[in-house]
Amino acid sequence: MKFPLPKLLPFGITGIILVLMITATILEKIYGTEFVTRHIYHSPIFIMLWGATGISGIFYILFQKMQHHPVTLSIHLALALILIGALTSFLTGKQGNIHLRTDGKAMQEFISEEGTAETLPFHITLDDFHIGYYPGTTAPMDYISDVTVTDGNIRQKGTVSMNHVYKYRHYRFYQSAYDPDSKGSILSVSYDPYGIGITYAGYALLGWSLILYFLVPHSRFRSLLHHPLLQKGSLTCLLALGSLNLQAVSGPTGVTPQTVPLEVAETFGDLYVYYNDRICPLQTLAHDFTTKLYGKPGYKGLTAEQVLLGWLFNYDRWKTEPLIRIKGEAANVLGIKGKYASLTDFVDGRGLKLEQPLQQEQRLNTRRSLEEANEKFNLISMAATGSLFRIYPYREKGNRQPVWYSINDKLPADISSGKWLFIRRSMDLTAEEIAHGRYGKAVEIIRKIKEYQQNEAVGILPSDTRFKAEKFYNRLNHTDVAAIICTIIGILSFIWTGRRMSRHSCTSASDRTLRNILLTLLAAICLYLCLTIGLRGYVSGHIPLSNGYETMQFMALFSVIITFIFQHKFRLLLSFGYLICGLSLLVSMFGESNPPVTHLMPVLQSPLLSIHVMFIMISYSLLAFMMMNGVMAEILHHARPSDYITVERLCLVSRLLVYPAVACLTAGIFIGAVWANVSWGRYWGWDPKEVWALITLLVYAAALHTDSLSAFRQPMFFHRFTILAFFCVLITYFGVNFFMGGMHSYA
């Protein structure tokens, strides 16, 4: 037997690299980033392993005579070129920081990452630094440094800001930080005259090669797409659901507490409020307030606005209401039974029950539970005293943007007596009218408050269309209902399909009718997701792919779209589509229960971010379909061992999906690298999220090499691989965010 050394080397070395990267992410949690950077990522052994992978890979390409497959060859050459670029950057590049002040002093030195002083071949001066804000808010939109470079007789002015790099003689300057007095700026300095060009050339070649791979007629993907077993559309019948009765899980029951009538609450919700560093309808604040306290945007048939105003105007009636949802050990500290506490449960004769446990508790999970309960207590206190309602804008002399005040805030000294009196007394007058049941008078005062807002904050308020769109979004966004429906249908469909396939049942007329009903329902869910995601993007002013909630919503939408595209070839995908959509929506609920729509932090404003996240989430959706395929195949393998044709057909579908999944994951990673290079001056930093994305890519890339790794040609091995490999996706998306942290912890 001939020893397959050319094959073993590249795959064997890649396996060693995978083990080292997994180990590094664990050690980083224990010993810190500097430790793993010095001992693993920047160690000579790790660098040599990557070099050995590239060299052995090129040798294996020649051994396999891949020159007869030019597109496949160009993909591998692009990867080799990227490795060469990374090595060049490591050997010849320089990274560091330079601190500039607006005192006119020209600097010629920067401090490298190793702490040594490096000399620039020119002088650089900071002319000005300023922060750009979102209109009418104190939320930073950009950090901007105006600089002048002096190089002999040459003087060149430039600007450095977030996602805007200033370049001069192969030196690139990035906005990193600024001094508290806003008269100084810290710029990241990157010098990499050769590595970036080589790496970007590799990116370009890789992108072009991946596109060509799906277009050339004789690629492995096109062969699988036209495989005879995938042309038989009658794989299975789907689902026979009689009736599905969903009952909402109710919370505490009893007498509805006293609050303002619906008309007053809706008028109040129509006010502008400065909340979460932006101007939005007060309805949004009420929605988030109620959801945070109770877990739902309503209570005992009352709207979120009525709940919020109940605490403001009827505090004594609400303090005994058990609507504060408590989790974990905090319930024992408060001495409650069940999930909900009242405000009176937080205090006893000695004061606040949480105060001493918060000072003494060291266990992370318990402390988190106590801090969450304490946050809700403080939030209610802010609502009851009125300090939560920053609804009074005032534009001081010389300021372009008004400052928003609550009734308890200290007002500026130069404010006129009329405005001072209006801010201090209008809410008291509203409360007085409500207390006497004169609700029409209360509505009139609230409308006068809105007129004051429109006059004082003219030019910076959101447009009427955007304002109404946000209110519509708040009413429309019921992710929990869609999540429960999709998950239940997906689970029942999955069980039913497995049973019918194990019995070798054929598709009947009733099955086809029910399938059409489910497709119609799925189309309605698709339209609903398109509407809510579109509204969220319009209201926020950016593509809604900036946090975990939004990315899981997009994954749910894409799973539905994929279901419609492929269900005619592979009808089992209908149950998978429902299940993945439902689970994605459930995760979005658990991760952030209807999170507030916020402005993007400056570094996240690049359009590359949205493209990067979109490709990653498309990949994860496809990998999730493959995993579900594997689970179904495992069930059929044990329930009907003789039906190897169905198991093989499922394998062919997964093998078909793995190509676009790996291609999208590759594109997402490298677009993210370009974004990082534009934002931070480096395209790879061995952040835990980056590392696990690379691990996931390398693991799934193994499944593409069926000629070299014969085990992947065995259907059951491939199915079990897709199930186990999906744990890499789960760790990348969830494990890193919740346990490892890093620069991607906001994602």
Side-chain angles (χ1 to χ4, degrees):
M1 182 176 178
K2 197 171 182 179
F3 187 68
L5 182 61
K7 178 171 68 174
L8 288 179
L9 273 177
F11 293 107
I13 298 172
T14 303
I16 296 172
I17 291 175
L18 282 172
V19 172
L20 283 174
M21 289 193 295
I22 293 172
T23 304
T25 58
I26 298 172
L27 293 177
E28 183 171 358
K29 182 67 177 177
I30 301 172
Y31 298 107
T33 302
E34 185 179 347
F35 176 86
V36 294
T37 300
R38 184 172 66 253
H39 291 92
I40 297 181
Y41 297 135
H42 288 179
S43 67
I45 293 177
F46 192 70
I47 295 169
M48 285 190 293
L49 284 172
W50 278 109
T53 301
I55 294 171
S56 61
I58 293 174
F59 180 70
Y60 185 56
I61 288 173
L62 299 175
F63 178 81
Q64 289 286 91
K65 299 180 180 179
M66 203 175 290
Q67 57 269 29
H68 300 303
H69 305 278
V71 177
T72 305
L73 176 63
S74 66
I75 291 175
H76 289 80
L77 290 179
L79 294 173
L81 195 59
I82 292 170
L83 284 178
I84 293 171
L87 180 62
T88 304
S89 294
F90 181 77
L91 295 176
T92 64
K94 298 177 184 178
Q95 301 278 340
N97 292 293
I98 187 169
H99 186 195
L100 304 174
R101 296 282 296 177
T102 55
D103 54 7
K105 183 179 179 180
M107 301 293 293
Q108 197 177 7
E109 288 187 344
F110 69 94
I111 306 301
S112 69
E113 290 182 336
E114 292 75 24
T116 60
E118 297 284 344
T119 302
L120 295 169
F122 50 83
H123 292 80
I124 184 169
T125 307
L126 179 64
D127 300 325
D128 183 42
F129 172 81
H130 61 278
I131 303 174
Y133 296 95
Y134 286 97
T137 75
T138 58
M141 183 173 64
D142 207 350
Y143 307 106
I144 305 162
S145 298
D146 296 319
V147 298
T148 298
V149 165
T150 304
D151 187 6
N153 295 325
I154 299 174
R155 285 177 61 85
Q156 185 180 100
K157 291 187 176 293
T159 299
V160 186
S161 62
M162 305 304 296
N163 300 313
H164 183 272
V165 185
Y166 174 66
K167 305 174 186 177
Y168 186 78
R169 290 181 59 174
H170 298 298
Y171 283 88
R172 295 175 299 147
F173 296 90
Y174 304 80
Q175 186 64 51
S176 177
Y178 62 95
D179 294 344
D181 62 0
S182 295
K183 294 184 178 180
S185 180
I186 300 175
L187 305 180
S188 295
V189 184
S190 177
Y191 177 75
D192 188 7
Y194 312 110
I196 290 179
I198 298 173
T199 303
Y200 278 16
Y203 290 170
L205 179 60
L206 180 62
W208 179 244
S209 302
L210 289 175
I211 294 172
L212 286 179
Y213 184 83
F214 291 99
L215 298 178
V216 295
H218 301 298
S219 67
R220 184 65 55 84
F221 173 79
R222 296 292 291 271
S223 300
L224 286 169
L225 192 62
H226 297 96
H227 195 284
L229 285 179
L230 294 183
Q231 301 308 306
K232 299 178 180 179
S234 57
L235 218 192
T236 179
C237 43
L238 265 236
L239 165 68
L241 292 174
S243 60
L244 184 62
N245 296 320
L246 297 177
Q247 295 182 351
V249 179
S250 60
T253 59
V255 179
T256 302
Q258 183 177 351
T259 187
V260 300
L262 185 60
E263 180 190 3
V264 179
E266 289 181 346
T267 307
F268 210 94
D270 200 44
L271 291 175
Y272 298 95
V273 65
Y274 187 78
Y275 163 62
N276 210 36
D277 282 334
R278 69 188 191 93
I279 303 168
C280 64
L282 195 139
Q283 178 206 54
T284 299
L285 170 61
H287 189 281
D288 292 348
F289 174 87
T290 307
T291 302
K292 190 172 189 66
L293 288 189
Y294 184 53
K296 299 176 184 178
Y299 177 72
K300 289 186 177 180
L302 300 175
T303 65
E305 296 98 309
Q306 288 177 301
V307 173
L308 178 60
L309 296 181
W311 285 105
L312 178 64
F313 296 125
N314 303 98
Y315 173 79
D316 290 334
R317 303 288 181 91
W318 280 80
K319 66 182 182 182
T320 56
E321 275 299 312
L323 85 162
I324 308 170
R325 187 166 185 173
I326 302 298
K327 301 177 183 178
E329 185 63 25
N332 295 329
V333 174
L334 297 178
I336 64 170
K337 295 181 180 180
K339 297 180 180 179
Y340 299 93
S342 67
L343 194 66
T344 54
D345 292 322
F346 282 75
V347 294
D348 57 17
R350 293 170 295 179
L352 184 63
K353 294 180 182 179
L354 296 174
E355 185 174 358
Q356 188 173 351
L358 275 170
Q359 294 174 355
Q360 299 175 350
E361 185 57 56
Q362 299 297 323
R363 291 171 295 177
L364 181 61
N365 289 337
T366 302
R367 184 169 185 82
R368 187 176 298 167
S369 170
L370 296 174
E371 288 175 345
E372 183 179 337
N374 190 57
E375 182 186 9
K376 294 179 180 180
F377 177 84
N378 292 329
L379 191 63
I380 290 175
S381 300
M382 294 174 66
T385 59
S387 60
L388 189 64
F389 302 91
R390 298 173 66 182
I391 59 175
Y392 298 102
Y394 177 69
R395 200 186 304 260
E396 297 183 36
K397 293 180 180 179
N399 289 347
R400 291 176 296 177
Q401 305 291 347
V403 178
W404 291 72
Y405 296 94
S406 72
I407 57 175
N408 295 323
D409 291 333
K410 183 179 179 180
L411 299 177
D414 64 346
I415 190 171
S416 67
S417 58
K419 290 181 180 179
W420 186 95
L421 190 63
F422 182 81
I423 294 174
R424 286 289 187 241
R425 291 288 297 151
S426 57
M427 195 65 72
D428 290 338
L429 289 174
T430 305
E432 184 177 335
E433 300 296 346
I434 289 173
H436 288 86
R438 296 190 289 262
Y439 299 119
K441 292 286 187 181
V443 168
E444 290 179 12
I445 297 172
I446 295 169
R447 287 173 177 163
K448 288 181 180 179
I449 295 175
K450 186 164 185 178
E451 290 176 7
Y452 168 85
Q453 293 177 328
Q454 293 171 332
N455 292 331
E456 193 68 22
V458 62
I460 56 94
L461 295 175
S463 66
D464 289 342
T465 304
R466 181 167 289 183
F467 190 81
K468 292 176 182 177
E470 182 163 354
K471 294 185 68 177
F472 182 60
Y473 172 80
N474 291 334
R475 295 191 182 97
L476 183 70
N477 187 25
H478 295 289
T479 300
D480 51 348
V481 177
I484 292 171
I485 291 175
C486 289
T487 304
I488 291 177
I489 292 178
I491 292 173
L492 294 179
S493 173
F494 186 73
I495 295 172
W496 178 270
T497 302
R499 184 180 180 187
R500 296 294 292 266
M501 291 177 70
S502 65
R503 294 182 177 182
H504 223 334
S505 301
C506 297
T507 304
S508 64
S510 60
D511 290 323
R512 287 193 293 269
T513 301
L514 190 55
R515 175 175 171 273
N516 291 333
I517 293 174
L518 292 180
L519 280 173
T520 303
L521 178 59
L522 196 63
I525 292 171
C526 181
L527 292 175
Y528 167 76
L529 290 174
C530 287
L531 180 59
T532 55
I533 292 173
L535 280 172
R536 188 178 179 89
Y538 176 66
V539 168
S540 64
H542 61 79
I543 298 175
L545 288 171
S546 61
N547 56 43
Y549 175 86
E550 293 173 347
T551 55
M552 293 311 293
Q553 292 267 316
F554 177 81
M555 183 169 176
L557 175 61
F558 186 76
S559 66
V560 172
I561 294 173
I562 286 294
T563 300
F564 278 111
I565 293 175
F566 289 102
Q567 54 83 25
H568 69 285
K569 280 183 171 289
F570 182 55
R571 295 180 181 177
L572 183 64
L573 286 181
L574 187 54
S575 58
F576 289 175
Y578 268 107
L579 194 54
I580 295 174
C581 176
L583 292 176
S584 299
L585 293 176
L586 283 174
V587 171
S588 72
M589 288 167 49
F590 296 148
E592 190 175 356
S593 181
N594 191 33
V597 181
T598 61
H599 291 303
L600 280 179
M601 54 192 292
V603 75
L604 300 182
Q605 293 177 33
S606 170
L608 291 174
L609 166 69
S610 300
I611 301 172
H612 157 69
V613 175
M614 182 182 66
F615 273 110
I616 293 290
M617 298 314 296
I618 288 173
S619 173
Y620 288 174
S621 300
L622 295 173
L623 297 177
F625 276 107
M626 291 168 53
M627 181 272 295
M628 297 299 298
N629 246 3
V631 173
M632 177 59 73
E634 191 70 42
I635 293 173
L636 293 176
H637 178 68
H638 292 284
R640 199 171 68 230
S642 60
D643 189 9
Y644 60 89
I645 295 295
T646 302
V647 172
E648 184 179 354
R649 190 179 289 130
L650 292 171
C651 179
L652 288 171
V653 172
S654 291
R655 287 180 59 189
L656 179 71
L657 294 179
V658 75
Y659 286 93
V662 171
C664 287
L665 184 57
T666 303
I669 288 174
F670 290 125
I671 291 171
V674 175
W675 169 50
N677 191 42
V678 170
S679 299
W680 295 301
R682 56 101 181 125
Y683 43 83
W684 196 262
W686 298 108
D687 183 76
K689 190 98 167 183
E690 295 173 345
V691 173
W692 270 99
L694 181 59
I695 290 171
T696 303
L697 174 61
L698 294 176
V699 167
Y700 277 100
L704 303 178
H705 298 79
T706 53
D707 290 338
S708 303
L709 303 175
S710 58
F712 285 100
R713 295 197 292 269
Q714 302 172 19
M716 285 312 302
F717 177 88
F718 195 95
H719 286 308
R720 287 161 184 163
F721 165 80
T722 61
I723 297 172
L724 294 176
F726 195 70
F727 282 99
C728 293
V729 176
L730 297 177
I731 294 173
T732 304
Y733 192 82
F734 299 108
V736 172
N737 286 358
F738 295 116
F739 300 109
M740 298 179 187
M743 296 185 71
H744 291 76
S745 57
Y746 53 78

